[in-house]
Amino acid sequence: MAYDPNNVFARILRGEIPSRKVHEDEHTLAFHDINPLTPSHILVIPKGPYVSFDDFSEKASDAEIAAFVRAVGKVARDQGLAGDGYRILANIGENANQEVPHLHVHIFGGKRLGRMLPKE
């Protein structure tokens, strides 16, 4: 999957599409999902043009990687999710149904989430 500079998250970063921000720093942005699947559903994205974790881990600076990981934890704490628990999810590539070609992590919380994947 190639990076598309006109993907929805790139447009949010440029201010072309509004978002309900919960965190922003030099390297990351976190905002509420417009179609939440749980009471708390927040997306955390790096500001750089990275498609996936493998792309990010190969090309991002140490400062970008640290900021991204710290942003996920900070958002979970700030949203009151750390005590009862939360789930983070990143869909990477076609087999995982990645829809937007910009690395993003979903933070789900605010209710019991059940099993991650059904037993086969």
Side-chain angles (χ1 to χ4, degrees):
M1 180 179 289
Y3 189 81
D4 175 2
N6 290 312
N7 74 69
V8 66
F9 297 152
R11 294 181 65 206
I12 287 171
L13 286 167
R14 291 193 300 264
E16 297 170 5
I17 297 174
S19 66
R20 291 179 35 223
K21 295 178 188 179
V22 297
H23 172 82
E24 184 171 16
D25 62 34
E26 180 182 358
H27 300 294
T28 63
L29 176 66
F31 52 93
H32 290 275
D33 193 292
I34 61 169
N35 293 308
L37 300 177
T38 56
S40 186
H41 184 173
I42 296 165
L43 299 167
V44 182
I45 64 173
K47 289 186 174 179
Y50 305 107
V51 175
S52 63
F53 258 110
D54 49 288
D55 182 36
F56 182 66
S57 67
E58 179 183 24
K59 298 174 185 169
S61 69
D62 290 347
E64 289 174 296
I65 293 169
F68 188 71
V69 172
R70 288 190 173 144
V72 172
K74 180 175 181 355
V75 168
R77 286 188 307 276
D78 290 352
Q79 296 296 308
L81 302 174
D84 290 335
Y86 58 96
R87 179 172 295 155
I88 58 174
L89 171 74
N91 296 313
I92 307 296
E94 184 179 335
N95 283 350
N97 295 315
Q98 182 177 1
E99 295 177 6
V100 179
H102 188 112
L103 173 60
H104 57 287
V105 169
H106 298 259
I107 301 176
F108 298 108
K111 71 173 195 173
R112 269 193 84 71
L113 298 173
R115 295 190 58 79
M116 194 164 60
L117 294 171
K119 290 183 179 181
E120 293 186 23

